[in-house]
């Protein structure tokens, strides 16, 4: 990878996270007294129709979004598919945008940042595509569509939210607007939300097209090859294959029925294509400049006739009928500037005549499609625009331009005080609603347009334009629940839903919960714990606990666990409930099935996971009681599975001072029961540990040295005597050690049998362990007593079992009672023989 591919800078530095659920603050937009929103048919018409002396807020925003080159995010990492890293980085960058704006910023700033971040990623991918010599990258198109949708959302909701916050009851008709087409249309756009939004969509379509189309520049100087052939046919390097015109006025090829020079014909074709493409991209000024610089000033003049007439020199009280005055009269009767000059007249006073001629012009069979389309775009002639449309965006642009043109024309003819030449009926019959336009696209005769209309991105854009958000949310829910949906789309959908939720466009919050949940599941696979915590802060408390606990189950490193809990605290998640849920989830997972014949069953990975889960609830002092509850439950399970070592490991997880701290603080009977159950396990595990230590020592009795024969040599006899001396010392030490360990083991085993109010008597479902463990403890105690020669004390075990105070006999089955009685009989027999 070339060295010039470096990491893009981050969007913004990490900001202090907010603990609230809301992502944004409530909109505080207020409309200015002078309306400054786009109301024309192309971005460049904005300046001609309604621009004030200073740049409008809308124009600044459009430039900010569509032309801004700031790098806000995305990273380029060298590798086989570096663009995939760029796509993955968007997860973090979108999170950073929300986090940095959660302190109370305008929601539209967030949408603008989404658009710019997506745009930056598109630029990175397109740059990478050229570096790695690929013609296409699968991730590019979805990202371009997402970028365009964020821009559409920004443009429309900037107007919708501003209109909602403003008081539009004061919009009244200026008397002077009856004399000025421009002022009349200005008032129309101020009061007609649908028309204004339609124009915004047109501006958006043109701006998107400008980025996607590579416009080939046109360099020519009129019909220079034709001129050269007419002047010097003998010296021309490449003569035309056909007879050329003899005149060079614009209409000569038509009335002479002759052609231009072949090279000029190619230049004409390219010129018409470039001019139409410029118009499709909303760059009328550039189209006219190309025409003029190519020696076709007449083409540039053709594109001027559509402009609305406005004479700023006329006082509203001086004239009542525009037909009663001509242009010179207006200037003579108008008010001059301070230096004696006059304001320039804007637009075309004979615009209606121009439109009729434009309609006739488009019907000329000898004109190229692009020539007709360039004029049709400004005369509302849909039939000559559609043949030039290739994509869904092109068709929508053509329909909407026609819709705006008809609405403007109707308003002007109804409210401006003058007579207009009538337009043909078919012009007015082109009128369609937005719903009808989208129906046209969905039932197009072109299969590719039908396919595009059914794509996810265009369906989303359609419902945003129609402002039918409830319908859109229903469709989005189906898409996000599809297991095959891409992570890129899930990210986009989740943030889209969050936006609509914040602006109050969602009636059913289930779609918010579902979208975030599906998005979080993808983030879990990426291991983005901080992002998971942040997005879960936007859903209900119940889902927060359930989903974050599920995410934490796979985290085993203690440092990572602490970081995960820190994220949860930062974003105001219920940490205590989450940690409890994590332990319960892991604890309730199925155990590995194995031979359970002994109390020393093998510890499995599953067991270690359950034991490790207890770490989640010992991070917080306030969860000491919960730690006991969960450890008691895990130990209980291990003991039922005969996994004594696993039970001991689980018990060791509880801090040693836990009971000491809880006893003075709690008078709650439930807590006392929990502590008592914990202590029951403590004495039981200690009893087993004491017995094991005694038993190991008991089985390690020193062996008597093998005697040497009488005929052995003297040295062998001396060595034998030395070994015997050592044996006597070792056996004495062994007896002392065994006696001490037997006493300790005996006391620990008695602790279980004589546990206050009964061992494990307060535990739920503890009866099973009592019937299993207590008989086992009695046998172990008998073994210690018997092997230690304490037969009298062994016999006394019968009194303990029969005691009504402890009632241990009740937990014995006939088989187990018979077994211990046999043992006691052996001790009695030993006493009789002793």
């Amino acid at each position: 990878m070339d060295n010039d591919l470096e990491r893009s800078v981050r969007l913004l530095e990490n900001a202090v996270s907010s603990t609230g659920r809301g992502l944004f603050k409530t909109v505080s937009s207020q409309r200015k007294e002078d309306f400054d929103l786009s109301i024309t048919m192309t971005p460049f018409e904005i300046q001609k129709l309604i621009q004030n002396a200073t740049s409008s807020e809308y124009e600044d925003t459009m430039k900010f979004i569509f032309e801004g080159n700031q790098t806000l995010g995305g990273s380029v990492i060298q590798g086989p598919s570096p663009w995939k890293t760029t796509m993955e980085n968007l997860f973090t960058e979108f999170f950073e945008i929300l986090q940095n704006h959660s302190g109370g910023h305008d929601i539209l700033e967030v949408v603008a940042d989404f658009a710019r971040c997506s745009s930056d990623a598109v630029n990175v991918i397109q740059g990478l595509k050229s570096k790695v010599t690929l013609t296409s990258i699968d991730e590019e198109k979805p990202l371009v569509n997402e970028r365009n949708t964020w821009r559409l959302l920004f443009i429309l909701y900037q107007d919708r939210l501003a209109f909602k916050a403003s008081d539009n009851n004061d919009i009244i008709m200026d008397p002077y607007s009856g004399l000025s087409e421009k002022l009349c249309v200005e008032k129309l756009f101020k009061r007609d939300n649908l028309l204004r939004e339609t124009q915004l969509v047109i501006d958006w379509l043109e701006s998107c097209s400008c980025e996607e189309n590579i416009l080939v520049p046109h360099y020519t100087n009129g019909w220079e090859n034709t001129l050269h052939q007419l002047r010097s046919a003998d010296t021309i390097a490449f003569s035309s294959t056909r007879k050329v015109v003899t005149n060079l006025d614009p209409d000569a090829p038509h009335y002479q029925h002759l052609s231009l020079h072949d090279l000029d014909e190619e230049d004409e074709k390219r010129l018409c294509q470039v001019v139409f493409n410029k118009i499709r991209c909303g760059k009328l000024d550039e189209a006219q400049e190309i025409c003029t610089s190519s020696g076709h000033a007449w083409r540039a003049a053709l594109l001027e006739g559509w402009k609305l007439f406005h004479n700023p020199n006329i006082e509203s009280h001086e004239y009542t009928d525009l037909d009663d005055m001509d242009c010179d009269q207006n200037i003579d009767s108008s008010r001059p500037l301070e230096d004696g000059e006059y304001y320039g007249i804007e637009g075309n006073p004979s615009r209606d005549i121009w439109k009729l001629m434009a309609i006739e012009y488009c019907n000329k069979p000898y004109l190229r499609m692009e020539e007709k389309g360039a004029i049709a775009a400004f005369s509302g002639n849909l039939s000559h625009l559609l043949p030039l449309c290739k994509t869904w965006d092109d068709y929508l642009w053509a329909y909407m331009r026609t819709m705006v043109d008809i609405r403007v024309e109707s308003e002007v003819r109804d409210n401006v005080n003058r007579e207009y030449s009538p337009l043909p009926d078919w012009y007015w019959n082109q009128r369609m609603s937005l719903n009808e336009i989208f129906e046209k696209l969905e039932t197009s005769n072109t299969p590719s347009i039908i396919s595009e209309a059914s794509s996810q991105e265009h369906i989303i854009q359609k419902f945003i334009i129609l402002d039918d958000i409830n319908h859109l949310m229903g469709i989005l829910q189906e898409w996000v629940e599809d297991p095959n949906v891409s992570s890129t789309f899930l990210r986009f959908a989740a943030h889209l839903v969050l936006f609509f939720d914040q602006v109050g466009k969602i009636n059913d919050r289930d779609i918010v919960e579902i979208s975030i949940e599906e998005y979080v599941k993808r983030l879990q696979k990426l291991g983005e714990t901080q992002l998971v915590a942040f997005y879960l802060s936007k859903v209900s408390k119940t889902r927060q606990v359930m989903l974050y606990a599920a995410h934490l189950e796979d985290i085993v490193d203690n440092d990572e666990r602490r970081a995960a809990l820190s994220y949860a605290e930062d974003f105001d998640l219920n940490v205590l409930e989450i940690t409890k849920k994590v332990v319960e989830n892991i604890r309730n997972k199925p155990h590995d099935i194995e031979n359970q014949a002994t109390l020393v069953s093998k510890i499995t990975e599953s067991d270690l996971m359950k034991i490790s889960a207890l770490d989640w609830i010992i991070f917080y002092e306030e969860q000491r009681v919960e730690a006991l509850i969960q450890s008691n439950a895990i130990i209980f399970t291990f003991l039922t599975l005969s996994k004594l070592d696993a039970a001991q490991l689980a018990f060791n997880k509880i801090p040693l001072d836990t009971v000491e701290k809880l006893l003075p603080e709690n008078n709650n009977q439930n807590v006392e029961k929990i502590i008592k159950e914990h202590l029951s396990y403590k004495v039981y595990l200690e009893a087993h540990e004491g017995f094991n230590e005694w038993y190991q020592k008991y089985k390690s009795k020193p062996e008597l040295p093998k005697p040497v024969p009488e005929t052995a040599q003297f040295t062998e006899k001396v060595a034998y005597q030395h070994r015997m001396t050592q044996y006597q010392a070792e056996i004495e030490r062994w007896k002392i050690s065994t006696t001490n360990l037997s006493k300790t083991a005996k006391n620990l085993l008695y602790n279980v049998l004589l546990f206050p109010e009964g061992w494990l008597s307060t535990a739920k479902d503890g009866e099973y362990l009592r019937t299993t463990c207590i008989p086992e403890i009695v046998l172990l105690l008998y073994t210690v007593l018997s092997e230690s020669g304490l037969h009298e004390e062994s016999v006394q075990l019968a009194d303990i079992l029969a005691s009504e105070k402890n009632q241990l006999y009740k937990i014995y089955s006939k088989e187990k009672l018979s077994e211990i009685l046999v043992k006691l009989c052996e001790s009695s027999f030993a006493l009789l023989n002793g």
Side-chain angles (χ1 to χ4, degrees):
M1 189 64 65
D2 292 346
N3 291 332
D4 60 342
L5 291 179
E6 302 175 351
R7 291 180 180 273
S8 300
V9 293
R10 279 294 185 188
L11 284 164
L12 296 168
E13 295 181 356
N14 289 336
V16 179
S17 59
S18 172
T19 58
R21 248 183 75 184
L23 293 178
F24 321 103
K25 71 175 183 180
T26 304
V27 180
S28 59
S29 303
Q30 293 184 354
R31 278 200 167 180
K32 297 180 180 179
E33 183 177 353
D34 295 326
F35 194 86
D36 57 4
L37 199 61
S38 167
I39 63 170
T40 60
M41 288 163 274
T42 68
F44 287 94
E45 298 164 40
I46 299 171
Q47 302 173 8
K48 302 296 182 181
L49 186 63
I50 197 172
Q51 181 183 25
N52 293 327
T54 58
S55 297
S56 69
E57 176 185 346
Y58 174 73
E59 291 160 359
D60 291 342
T61 303
M62 289 288 286
K63 182 177 180 181
F64 182 57
I65 285 189
F66 288 108
E67 300 177 12
N69 290 323
Q70 297 105 322
T71 300
L72 295 179
S75 299
V76 181
I77 299 179
Q78 298 181 9
S81 301
W83 52 87
K84 294 186 182 295
T85 303
T86 302
M87 296 292 293
E88 291 173 359
N89 285 346
L90 288 176
F91 293 102
T92 302
E93 290 164 359
F94 272 47
F95 152 70
E96 290 174 345
I97 290 171
L98 293 183
Q99 188 182 26
N100 283 287
H101 283 290
S102 60
H105 291 73
D106 196 316
I107 53 176
L108 294 177
E109 292 180 27
V110 176
V111 177
D113 279 349
F114 287 161
R116 290 179 295 183
C117 185
S118 302
S119 179
D120 180 74
V122 170
N123 294 335
V124 171
I125 290 177
Q126 290 174 345
L128 288 170
K129 185 169 64 174
S130 63
K131 296 293 181 181
V132 295
T133 64
L134 290 177
T135 56
S136 64
I137 294 177
D138 293 339
E139 291 83 354
E140 181 181 358
K141 185 177 179 181
L143 193 55
V144 169
N145 290 327
E146 179 183 346
R147 175 200 65 189
N148 294 341
T149 304
W150 286 125
R151 291 174 172 178
L152 173 66
L153 196 69
F154 178 92
I155 292 169
L156 288 178
Y157 274 86
Q158 184 189 47
D159 181 68
R160 287 171 180 172
L161 296 177
F163 182 83
K164 182 179 179 181
S166 66
D167 182 7
N168 293 278
N169 295 327
D170 58 348
I171 298 179
I172 58 175
M173 181 64 76
D174 186 344
Y176 185 42
S177 62
L179 303 176
S180 170
E181 294 177 338
K182 173 186 173 181
L183 295 182
C184 175
V185 174
E186 283 187 12
K187 297 293 183 182
L188 170 64
F189 274 88
K190 286 183 179 181
R191 71 174 187 270
D192 193 327
N193 299 336
L194 176 60
L195 183 64
R196 189 170 59 253
E197 289 183 10
T198 303
Q199 183 58 53
L200 292 177
V201 175
I202 293 172
D203 295 343
W204 167 72
L205 289 168
E206 290 172 344
S207 298
C208 293
S209 177
C210 185
E211 286 191 297
E212 295 172 5
N213 286 324
I214 301 177
L215 304 177
V216 180
H218 182 78
Y219 300 105
T220 183
N221 187 18
W223 298 338
E224 55 187 3
N225 295 289
T226 303
L227 176 62
H228 187 47
Q229 180 162 332
L230 291 175
R231 285 182 173 178
S232 308
D234 296 334
T235 61
I236 190 169
F238 301 99
S239 60
S240 178
T241 59
R242 296 167 293 182
K243 187 176 180 180
V244 300
V245 296
T246 58
N247 297 334
L248 295 181
D249 58 278
D251 293 328
H254 310 314
Y255 64 73
Q256 289 189 342
H257 303 291
L258 298 174
S259 63
L260 302 174
H261 188 281
D262 293 341
L263 295 178
D264 289 338
E265 285 286 356
E266 287 297 318
D267 286 341
E268 281 281 291
K269 180 179 179 180
R270 288 182 60 219
L271 173 63
C272 293
Q273 290 174 345
V274 170
V275 168
F276 180 78
N277 282 339
K278 288 289 184 181
I279 291 172
R280 171 64 183 88
C281 294
K283 297 183 178 294
L284 175 60
D285 288 356
E286 291 184 19
Q288 291 177 303
E289 183 180 347
I290 290 173
C291 291
T292 303
S293 63
S294 300
H296 295 266
W298 61 275
R299 292 185 187 275
L302 281 179
L303 298 174
E304 282 288 309
W306 64 272
K307 296 183 178 179
L308 298 169
F309 177 72
H310 174 60
N311 186 350
N313 302 295
I314 302 175
E315 294 286 358
S316 60
H317 64 275
E318 293 188 25
Y319 297 98
T320 58
D321 192 346
L322 197 61
D323 289 331
D324 294 338
M325 56 187 174
D326 57 34
C327 186
D328 293 334
Q329 257 185 332
N330 293 344
I331 296 177
D332 293 339
S333 305
S334 60
R335 48 186 171 83
L337 297 174
E338 293 181 0
D339 56 1
E341 297 182 359
Y342 292 87
Y343 294 99
I345 297 176
E346 302 176 21
N348 182 4
S350 301
R351 191 182 54 81
D352 55 331
I353 303 300
W354 176 89
K355 180 165 283 192
L356 285 173
M357 294 302 99
I359 292 173
E360 290 297 323
Y361 183 83
C362 291
N363 290 330
K364 300 300 181 183
Y366 50 79
L367 294 176
R368 292 182 177 83
M369 289 174 53
E370 292 82 5
E371 289 183 271
K372 299 178 182 180
I375 300 300
F378 298 101
S379 59
N381 198 336
L382 182 62
S383 61
H384 289 93
L385 271 181
L386 294 181
L388 293 165
C389 297
K390 300 177 181 179
T391 65
W392 182 90
D393 301 77
D394 293 338
Y395 275 89
L396 182 61
W397 173 78
Y399 280 117
M400 285 193 160
R401 281 194 68 90
T402 304
M403 171 183 171
V404 170
D405 190 274
I406 294 172
R407 182 68 183 91
V408 168
E409 189 67 35
S410 175
E411 182 72 12
V412 168
R413 290 172 180 260
D414 288 344
N415 293 284
V416 176
N417 299 326
R418 61 159 294 180
E419 291 292 331
Y420 287 94
S421 299
L423 292 171
D425 291 340
W426 62 261
Y427 172 84
W428 303 108
N429 293 337
Q430 296 178 116
R431 193 192 309 266
M432 283 187 291
S433 67
L434 286 179
N435 281 303
E436 290 173 334
I437 290 175
F438 286 110
E439 287 176 7
K440 281 277 188 182
L441 295 176
E442 292 164 2
T443 58
S444 172
N445 294 325
T446 307
S448 62
I449 302 304
I450 297 177
S451 176
E452 285 190 68
S454 61
S455 64
Q456 289 180 340
E457 62 272 12
H458 288 145
I459 290 176
I460 292 173
Q461 291 166 2
K462 165 191 169 181
F463 286 114
I464 291 175
I465 293 170
L466 294 175
D467 201 19
D468 188 359
I469 307 305
N470 286 331
H471 196 170
L472 173 59
M473 291 301 103
I475 296 175
L476 272 181
Q477 182 171 341
E478 296 179 5
W479 289 342
V480 299
E481 290 180 323
D482 183 353
N484 298 320
V485 66
S486 69
S487 298
T488 297
F489 182 79
L490 269 180
R491 172 184 49 75
F492 168 59
H495 290 86
L496 188 66
V497 168
L498 285 174
F499 169 80
F500 284 123
D501 183 47
Q502 185 61 31
V503 297
K505 300 294 288 186
I506 296 180
N507 296 328
D508 185 0
R509 264 197 66 84
D510 281 349
I511 178 59
V512 180
E513 305 275 326
I514 293 171
S515 299
I516 296 298
E517 179 175 348
E518 295 300 327
Y519 181 48
V520 162
K521 288 178 181 177
R522 295 298 174 90
L523 292 175
Q524 290 175 357
K525 294 180 180 179
L526 297 174
E528 296 287 355
T529 302
Q530 185 179 19
L531 275 64
V532 169
F534 175 77
Y535 286 100
L536 286 180
S537 67
K538 314 307 169 189
V539 301
S540 64
K541 297 295 183 182
T542 302
R543 284 182 185 261
Q544 288 177 12
V545 173
M546 178 184 68
L547 295 175
Y548 201 60
H551 173 66
L552 299 184
E553 288 179 24
D554 297 326
I555 301 178
V556 295
D557 182 77
N558 256 5
D559 290 337
E560 292 182 14
R561 286 177 171 180
R562 291 183 184 276
L565 295 179
S566 177
Y567 296 144
E569 292 174 357
D570 291 342
F571 303 123
D572 199 30
L573 304 185
N574 191 336
V575 180
L576 301 184
E577 285 296 320
I578 288 171
T579 52
K580 174 184 174 182
K581 186 66 174 177
V582 174
V583 179
E584 290 178 347
N585 289 349
I586 298 176
R587 177 167 61 82
N588 292 327
K589 288 184 177 180
H591 288 265
D592 298 330
I593 304 300
E594 58 177 328
N595 182 16
Q596 300 177 5
T598 67
L599 284 172
V600 288
S601 299
K602 182 181 178 181
I603 300 177
T604 65
E605 289 294 327
S606 174
D607 298 334
L608 293 176
M609 182 189 302
K610 297 176 189 295
I611 295 167
S612 176
L614 290 172
D615 290 333
W616 285 109
I617 51 175
I618 62 177
F619 287 120
Y620 300 98
E621 286 286 335
E622 53 266 48
Q623 279 195 294
R624 291 294 182 103
V625 173
E626 187 62 37
L628 291 184
I629 294 174
Q630 298 299 335
S631 66
N632 287 346
I634 290 177
I635 294 170
F636 178 89
T637 303
F638 283 146
L639 292 182
T640 59
L641 296 174
S642 302
K643 294 190 174 184
L644 192 64
D645 290 342
Q648 183 66 61
L649 291 176
F651 183 86
N652 293 343
K653 285 289 183 180
I654 303 302
L656 296 176
D657 60 348
T658 298
V659 175
E660 182 181 349
K661 287 187 175 182
L662 289 178
L663 283 176
E665 299 175 1
N666 290 279
N667 295 321
N668 189 302
Q669 290 185 352
N670 289 331
V671 175
E672 291 179 359
K673 290 181 180 180
I674 294 167
I675 294 174
K676 190 173 182 181
E677 181 179 353
H678 173 75
L679 294 176
S680 294
Y681 294 128
K682 180 177 184 293
V683 298
Y684 178 78
L685 295 172
E686 287 176 346
H688 268 284
E689 184 179 3
F691 175 82
N692 290 335
E693 289 180 2
W694 168 82
Y695 188 75
Q696 290 174 5
K697 192 66 177 179
Y698 179 75
K699 287 297 183 180
S700 64
K701 182 178 180 180
E703 293 183 3
L704 183 67
K706 186 177 180 180
V708 297
E710 290 293 333
T711 58
Q713 296 180 1
F714 176 74
T715 56
E716 292 179 353
K717 291 180 179 181
V718 172
Y720 173 73
Q721 289 297 329
H722 179 68
R723 288 196 295 272
M724 284 299 296
T725 303
Q726 286 184 323
Y727 168 75
Q728 292 297 332
E730 288 177 0
I731 199 69
E732 286 300 320
R733 287 195 297 269
W734 175 83
K735 288 180 179 180
I736 295 172
S737 179
T738 303
T739 300
N740 291 333
L741 289 175
S742 67
K743 291 179 179 179
T744 302
K746 181 179 66 172
N747 292 333
L748 293 174
L749 291 165
Y750 272 124
N751 286 342
V752 177
L753 299 180
L754 303 178
F755 194 85
E757 298 180 9
W759 182 81
L760 214 61
S761 59
T762 59
K764 182 181 180 182
D765 300 325
E767 195 62 26
Y768 170 77
L769 282 183
R770 284 172 55 80
T771 59
T772 303
C773 295
I774 289 180
E776 187 71 27
I777 290 293
V778 171
L779 287 175
L780 294 178
L781 179 56
Y782 173 82
T783 302
V784 173
L785 296 174
S786 176
E787 297 297 332
S788 300
L790 303 174
H791 298 295
E792 184 176 353
E793 190 172 349
S794 298
V795 174
Q796 291 176 355
L797 286 175
D799 296 331
I800 296 175
L801 296 179
S803 171
E804 286 298 328
K805 179 180 180 181
N806 298 312
Q807 297 184 348
L808 296 180
Y809 62 88
K810 290 184 177 181
I811 63 175
Y812 269 85
S813 62
K814 291 183 178 180
E815 293 78 10
K816 289 184 177 181
L817 188 60
S818 174
E819 181 182 3
I820 189 62
L821 288 177
V822 170
K823 297 289 185 181
L824 295 178
C825 286
E826 292 175 358
S827 293
S828 299
F829 185 75
L831 284 173
L832 290 175
N833 291 335

